[in-house]
Amino acid sequence: MSKKAILAVSFGTSFNETRKVTIDAIEADLAAANPDAVVYRAWTSGMILRKIAKRDGVHIDTVPEAFERMEKDGITDVVVQPTHVINGIENDKMMDAARSYSDRFTSVKIGSPLLTTAEDAMECAKALKQEFSFVTDREALVFMGHGSEHYANFVYPAMNYIFEELGMKNFLLGTVEGYPELSSLMADLKKLQPEKIWLAPFMIVAGDHANNDLAGDEEDSWKSILEAEGFKTEAVLKGLGEMKSIRTMFVEHAQNAK
């Protein structure tokens, strides 16, 4: 008799409050959409797993540990659904680990990260337009993505083309560890001369990068850099995982897992 599971794989976060409204919420939506499956959790950041274990005394499985646990529980069919934004380094590592266990189960299917196809990017941009409908034409919205050395980083500059195509010329996306950097957006911002710049994370959770690199008071935060350039800023520390429309995309990707 088959026994199904969904393994939700996230980078992880040490911010418990944001975890509840992002990672937990995605897992709850996956469970609601798949009542015949058990939802398991795995995180890929060793640094965060160690921090949670030390600070909270909580053990969260790595991908291999989750597969071992599912096998022990008698699971036969697994859908692995990452909550990653792009098909980057973390996703590659997850796929390698998942595939190494495929011969121990009847089937192991893998869903795609948030932004995998051009359609995904378009759907995400439309969801953000709706979510941030309070941003006026006289204001700008600057998103901070994580960014990566991985070639999948091309998704971030592509999003700026899509924003423009959808008439969202005052929506701009930069990254903290990839391209485009904040400095690459500065010429557009100076041209726009917005009355105010809203700052928001383009990450599943509003964790360390959002609270410090984006909206922190240190002089190298995006908030401080923009204010030093004379812009007025306001941060919206809301991770993508808090948005129902974004969570629905992950549910759809799990349903289309291959």
Side-chain angles (χ1 to χ4, degrees):
M1 195 176 125
S2 71
K3 201 175 167 190
K4 297 177 183 174
I6 293 176
L7 175 60
V9 180
S10 303
F11 180 78
T13 180
S14 60
F15 286 69
N16 290 337
E17 290 311 306
T18 191
R19 188 210 71 233
K20 289 173 193 167
V21 292
T22 56
I23 294 172
D24 291 6
I26 293 167
E27 291 171 358
D29 284 8
L30 286 167
N34 300 276
D36 59 339
V38 185
V39 176
Y40 289 78
R41 164 184 289 179
W43 287 3
T44 57
S45 170
M47 185 182 71
I48 290 172
L49 291 173
R50 287 189 295 276
K51 184 173 180 176
I52 295 278
K54 190 177 175 186
R55 187 190 71 194
D56 304 338
V58 172
H59 174 83
I60 294 168
D61 287 344
T62 60
V63 174
E65 284 171 344
F67 269 96
E68 297 285 352
R69 190 182 297 278
M70 289 188 291
E71 187 179 30
K72 205 166 74 190
D73 291 349
I75 298 295
T76 56
D77 299 87
V78 182
V79 168
V80 181
Q81 180 53 52
T83 69
H84 302 140
V85 174
I86 62 169
N87 291 265
I89 295 163
E90 295 298 319
N91 208 65
D92 282 353
K93 285 195 297 195
M94 177 215 75
M95 287 176 73
D96 288 345
R99 284 177 179 145
S100 71
Y101 282 88
S102 58
D103 58 348
R104 300 206 206 169
F105 297 84
T106 307
S107 71
V108 175
K109 294 178 178 176
I110 302 176
S112 53
L114 183 66
L115 301 180
T116 300
T117 65
E119 290 77 22
D120 288 341
M122 196 66 81
E123 192 178 337
C124 177
K126 287 174 181 171
L128 295 173
K129 188 176 189 178
Q130 193 71 38
E131 192 70 37
F132 291 92
S133 57
F134 59 83
V135 178
T136 71
D137 292 343
R138 296 183 305 280
E139 298 171 338
L141 173 58
V142 171
F143 287 107
M144 175 190 270
H146 191 277
S148 175
E149 297 167 5
H150 195 280
Y151 63 83
N153 187 85
F154 76 85
V155 168
Y156 295 109
M159 284 300 293
N160 283 316
Y161 280 100
I162 289 169
F163 288 153
E164 194 149 331
E165 193 180 318
L166 293 175
M168 302 157 66
K169 290 181 168 58
N170 56 335
F171 281 47
L172 300 168
L173 171 57
T175 67
V176 68
E177 289 181 21
Y179 177 84
E181 295 170 295
L182 177 61
S183 55
S184 312
L185 310 181
M186 212 56 95
D188 284 330
L189 287 169
K190 285 180 176 169
K191 213 186 307 175
L192 284 167
Q193 278 303 311
E195 290 173 3
K196 176 157 82 170
I197 296 175
W198 295 90
L199 299 171
F202 191 82
M203 303 175 192
I204 300 305
V205 302
D208 190 49
H209 285 304
N211 284 275
N212 299 314
D213 301 321
L214 179 65
D217 293 324
E218 300 76 18
E219 60 181 31
D220 60 347
S221 75
W222 285 19
K223 173 185 161 218
S224 298
I225 292 167
L226 289 166
E227 286 178 353
E229 290 284 342
F231 294 111
K232 184 183 168 196
T233 70
E234 187 170 338
V236 183
L237 295 181
K238 188 175 185 180
L240 296 176
E242 292 185 50
M243 304 169 196
K244 182 71 179 169
S245 48
I246 298 293
R247 297 200 299 271
T248 299
M249 289 179 67
F250 284 121
V251 171
E252 288 166 357
H253 288 189
Q255 284 162 348
N256 296 324
K258 296 186 175 101

